[in-house]
Structure formats: structure tokens, C-alpha cells
């Protein structure tokens, strides 16, 4: 198996940490620095492996190509079962999935806030906050 990934970012890091914990010699990891279209990083032939054209990407010897971090983790867990990182019982596996989904939701909402509702996204994206409009929520005159 080969994994092509970035050295940074929450979803690439999920895969990088998982592979480090697995300590499997059956997985070759290629890490790329920050994406750079001018320098063709990651290379176009790697980006072309999945419809999204993004990393992480797993390519197995049988031709299987997976381009989504959670699907990659599940595939690796099925192919390299030890050490077990998913849980041995249905209850533990459900708790692991629940935790992962909660973290994904929190990351999504933080990303939306950072891009559209904070100074972090100023000049990058349309902001949902407008300093020229004030909204008063509990003051009504009868």
C-alpha cells in the first residue's frame, strides 16, 4: 500500500498519526509540503488519482484507490488489523465513530467561523459580520 499525503492539515494529519500508531511496514508514506500549483505539489499524476484531486490518497497493489481520510483509516484497519485501533466490540467501535464525527463537526464549524465570521477570513471570503449594521435582539417597544 502507498499513501500520498500532506505533512500538515487536520485530515492529512489524521492519516499520518494513524499510520505512525500502526507502525506498519506494509504502508509506504509519501509526504508533500504545502500544496503549490506553480511547483506542481503534489504532482498532477497523484492528484489525478481521485475525483477530488486532493490528498490524502491511498493506492493499494491491487489497484484500489481511496481518497478520503476516514475511508483510508478503515481500509488500513481492515488490511492491517493489529494493533487494533477501531475497537473490538460494536459498542467501542460506535463510541470511536461518535468521537470522530463530533471532532469533524467541531472542525467544520470552526472552519466556517474562521473563514466567514472572524478577522481570520477578512479579505479572503465574504464575511457574515457587518460592522455598519447593528441588531438589537431584546429591545422592543410596545
Amino acid at each position: 500500500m502507498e499513501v500520498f499525503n500532506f505533512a500538515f492539515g487536520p485530515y492529512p494529519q489524521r492519516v499520518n498519526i494513524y499510520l505512525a500508531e500502526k507502525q506498519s511496514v506494509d504502508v509506504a508514506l509519501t509526504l508533500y509540503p504545502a500544496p503549490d500549483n506553480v511547483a506542481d505539489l503534489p504532482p498532477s499524476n497523484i492528484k489525478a488519482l481521485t475525483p477530488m484531486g486532493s490528498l490524502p490518497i491511498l493506492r493499494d497493489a491491487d489497484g484500489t484507490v481511496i481518497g478520503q481520510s476516514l475511508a483510508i483509516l478503515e481500509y488500513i484497519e481492515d488490511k492491517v488489523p493489529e494493533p487494533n485501533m477501531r475497537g473490538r466490540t460494536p459498542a467501542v467501535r460506535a463510541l470511536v465513530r461518535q468521537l470522530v464525527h463530533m471532532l469533524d463537526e467541531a472542525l467544520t464549524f470552526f472552519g466556517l467561523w474562521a473563514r466567514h465570521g472572524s478577522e481570520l477570513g477578512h479579505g479572503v471570503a465574504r464575511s457574515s459580520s457587518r460592522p455598519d449594521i447593528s441588531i438589537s435582539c431584546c429591545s422592543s417597544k410596545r
Side-chain angles (χ1 to χ4, degrees), residues 6 35 37 41-57 67:
F6 287 122
N37 290 334
L41 288 174
S44 301
N45 63 324
I46 299 299
K47 290 187 283 190
L49 290 174
T50 64
M52 295 294 290
S54 62
L55 297 183
I57 296 171

Side-chain angles (χ1 to χ4, degrees), residues 5 7 11 31 34 55-56 59 69 88 90 102 111 113 115 123 129 137:
N5 208 354
Y11 301 114
L31 290 177
L55 297 183
R59 180 171 58 191
S69 64
R88 298 202 188 276
M102 286 178 2
W113 169 81
R115 185 165 176 88
S129 60
C137 110

Side-chain angles (χ1 to χ4, degrees), residues 81-84 86-90 92-93:
E82 293 301 327
N84 181 299
R86 187 170 29 198
R88 298 202 188 276
T89 67
V92 172
R93 286 191 298 271

Side-chain angles (χ1 to χ4, degrees), residues 58-139:
L58 177 142
R59 180 171 58 191
D60 206 346
D62 66 1
T64 300
V65 175
I66 302 169
Q68 198 278 336
S69 64
L70 285 178
I72 289 171
L73 300 186
E74 289 183 17
Y75 187 82
I76 291 170
E77 189 69 24
D78 288 340
K79 298 279 281 195
V80 185
E82 293 301 327
N84 181 299
M85 294 178 56
R86 187 170 29 198
R88 298 202 188 276
T89 67
V92 172
R93 286 191 298 271
L95 290 173
V96 168
R97 280 193 303 275
Q98 176 180 302
L99 179 61
V100 169
H101 289 297
M102 286 178 2
L103 292 171
D104 279 350
E105 273 188 28
L107 183 62
T108 297
F109 286 120
F110 174 76
L112 287 170
W113 169 81
R115 185 165 176 88
H116 298 288
S118 78
E119 289 298 316
L120 295 172
H122 183 69
V124 175
R126 182 186 59 80
S127 175
S128 60
S129 60
R130 295 206 30 210
D132 58 323
I133 297 176
S134 77
I135 299 173
S136 176
C137 110
C138 297
S139 60

